[in-house]
Amino acid sequence: MSPLKETSQKDNKHLLLVDDDPNLILLVKDYLEFQGYEVTTAENGQEALDILSKQVPDMIICDVMMPEMDGYALIEKIRQDARISWVPVMFLSAKGQSQDRVKGLNTGADVYMVKPFEPEELVAQVESSLKQASRLMRHRSNISFDESTRIQVPSNVELTPTELKVVQLVAQGLSNRDIAEKLSVSQRTIESHVSNMLNKTNLHNRTELARWAIESNMA
């Protein structure tokens, strides 16, 4: 068993591992459990969604190429569901080309790891993602408890469906260029949407827009 010092941060951290390769599932699950994580497994995206409807893990580790529902389709559904959209997702893939990594990250993955990988690197990436998610959740709780620091906007602000999509992506930390690519429009169009929202809300910059989206539970 691992020393207590090593597992203390990982206690009660629940990971969902999705892969159609039983050997990889066995190896990765075994290694992560040895490190102190609780691991649930699924063989494809559909099985993962069934599990996600009943429980929310701290992180999802997911193969890209799977039968029934691949990693791209799964992450799209995860990012559309407010209950689980915040969960960090790591893609595992045998495809290591630059365009594959870019596609994975643009689809919404937080980390893209190429097979084969060292178990130590996998664990380091998992820890890094969990820390990041934890910082974001702490930031959100601090905001919601301290009303005096909340972003103030006029009460009658109404966003169009496209503006709502854009502000959610701004709150996720994406650049205008990334958002343009994700929504298949020009960067100028996104800049125009951001500018319209700044005018409507009387806010000064994208950071304030992002905070407002998080505080209003839009993100």
Side-chain angles (χ1 to χ4, degrees):
M1 191 152 166
S2 334
L4 185 63
K5 191 173 72 174
E6 274 190 30
T7 58
S8 58
Q9 295 179 354
K10 302 159 193 171
D11 283 346
N12 306 321
K13 288 294 183 192
H14 177 211
L15 312 177
L16 174 60
L17 175 59
V18 194
D19 201 302
D20 64 323
D21 177 351
N23 291 326
L24 185 129
I25 283 263
L26 201 63
L27 284 169
V28 174
K29 182 177 192 286
D30 200 41
Y31 194 83
L32 288 168
E33 285 180 340
F34 181 72
Q35 294 295 315
Y37 293 104
E38 183 188 333
V39 183
T40 301
T41 63
E43 287 182 12
N44 57 57
Q46 190 51 59
E47 195 184 328
L49 284 179
D50 294 342
I51 292 168
L52 289 166
S53 67
K54 302 181 192 81
Q55 51 183 274
V56 179
D58 294 289
M59 183 168 179
I60 298 162
I61 301 171
C62 174
D63 188 21
V64 174
M65 305 309 291
M66 295 180 292
E68 291 191 49
M69 181 189 290
D70 67 10
Y72 296 124
L74 173 62
I75 201 170
E76 206 169 305
K77 291 191 178 292
I78 289 167
R79 295 299 180 234
Q80 286 167 357
D81 183 342
R83 195 177 56 91
I84 52 174
S85 62
W86 59 271
V87 178
V89 176
M90 176 195 289
F91 266 170
L92 302 178
S93 175
K95 295 182 170 182
Q97 296 295 320
S98 164
Q99 64 263 32
D100 298 313
R101 289 173 183 273
V102 168
K103 183 181 178 186
L105 296 169
N106 280 345
T107 309
D110 299 278
V111 185
Y112 189 100
M113 282 200 71
V114 180
K115 301 175 186 176
F117 46 80
E118 291 296 327
E120 291 83 1
E121 189 189 352
L122 176 77
V123 170
Q125 292 283 15
V126 167
E127 285 179 17
S128 168
S129 297
L130 289 171
K131 279 179 192 158
Q132 207 169 335
S134 163
R135 279 198 302 270
L136 181 61
M137 298 305 273
R138 267 204 310 276
H139 173 62
R140 288 186 178 193
S141 347
N142 289 345
I143 287 171
S144 52
F145 286 126
D146 189 356
E147 291 294 325
S148 63
T149 65
R150 286 174 75 94
I151 292 277
Q152 301 299 315
V153 304
S155 56
N156 59 347
V157 170
E158 281 189 26
L159 300 184
T160 67
T162 306
E163 285 172 346
L164 184 58
K165 253 187 222 167
V166 171
V167 80
Q168 286 170 340
L169 294 169
V170 166
Q172 284 175 29
L174 272 67
S175 67
N176 287 350
R177 185 175 157 195
D178 291 338
I179 297 170
E181 206 167 293
K182 204 173 180 70
L183 300 183
S184 303
V185 296
S186 72
Q187 189 172 329
R188 192 178 288 265
T189 302
I190 299 302
E191 284 162 4
S192 167
H193 284 309
V194 170
S195 174
N196 287 343
M197 286 190 282
L198 290 174
N199 288 335
K200 283 182 182 180
T201 55
N202 296 334
L203 297 175
H204 303 98
N205 51 46
R206 293 170 96 260
T207 306
E208 289 188 354
L209 265 182
R211 270 196 58 195
W212 172 59
I214 290 169
E215 288 170 11
S216 313
N217 290 323
M218 287 186 283

